[in-house]
Amino acid sequence: QVQLVESGGRLVQAGGSLRLSCAPSGRTFISYGMGWFRQAPGKEREFVASISWNGGSTYYADSVKGRFTISKDGAQNTVYLQMNSLSPEDTAVYYCAASLGGGTSPWQYDYWGQGTQVTVSS
């Protein structure tokens, strides 16, 4: 049923770090680009970062560039989001998603995880 499973979300203090993981379930996404999105209460789902299917290209939202790093473990087919220098503005439910073509818009992604909550305290 669920094809992408996020984990690693938790409560963390501002300035701290956290690593999220996204693992396939039921099928693999070896030929898919992967993206991370987040959604805060009352706000639209927004793009965070993406990585190409072979891990050779990454792209970041301006709000997280220099702080977040997306990576992909080819052997495990697992995607990670390393988040450093966290601030309360990063508080949101974080979703991983898979796309054949990639992009920065949710409609470009075909499969989604259930989300994992990240809360950054001030």
Side-chain angles (χ1 to χ4, degrees), residues 42-54:
K43 298 183 67 177
E44 295 290 311
R45 189 167 299 186
E46 66 174 346
F47 171 79
V48 176
S50 64
I51 188 168
S52 59
W53 69 272
N54 62 357

Side-chain angles (χ1 to χ4, degrees), residues 16 19-20 30 35 40 49 51 53 56 58-59 64 72 74 77 82 84 91 105 109 111 121:
R19 188 179 76 162
L20 306 182
I30 189 169
I51 188 168
W53 69 272
T58 59
Y59 186 76
V64 306
K72 188 176 183 181
N77 202 28
Q82 177 66 46
N84 299 325
T91 295
S105 299
Y109 288 76
Y111 300 95
S121 61

Side-chain angles (χ1 to χ4, degrees), residues 43-114:
K43 298 183 67 177
E44 295 290 311
R45 189 167 299 186
E46 66 174 346
F47 171 79
V48 176
S50 64
I51 188 168
S52 59
W53 69 272
N54 62 357
S57 181
T58 59
Y59 186 76
Y60 298 92
D62 289 341
S63 59
V64 306
K65 191 173 184 178
R67 299 188 298 120
F68 291 10
T69 303
I70 188 171
S71 60
K72 188 176 183 181
D73 184 336
Q76 299 292 327
N77 202 28
T78 301
V79 180
Y80 304 95
L81 184 68
Q82 177 66 46
M83 306 186 293
N84 299 325
S85 301
L86 286 164
S87 76
E89 297 298 316
D90 298 312
T91 295
V93 176
Y94 283 71
Y95 300 88
C96 72
S99 172
L100 284 174
T104 61
S105 299
W107 64 265
Q108 297 175 297
Y109 288 76
D110 305 300
Y111 300 95
W112 293 83
Q114 82 290 346

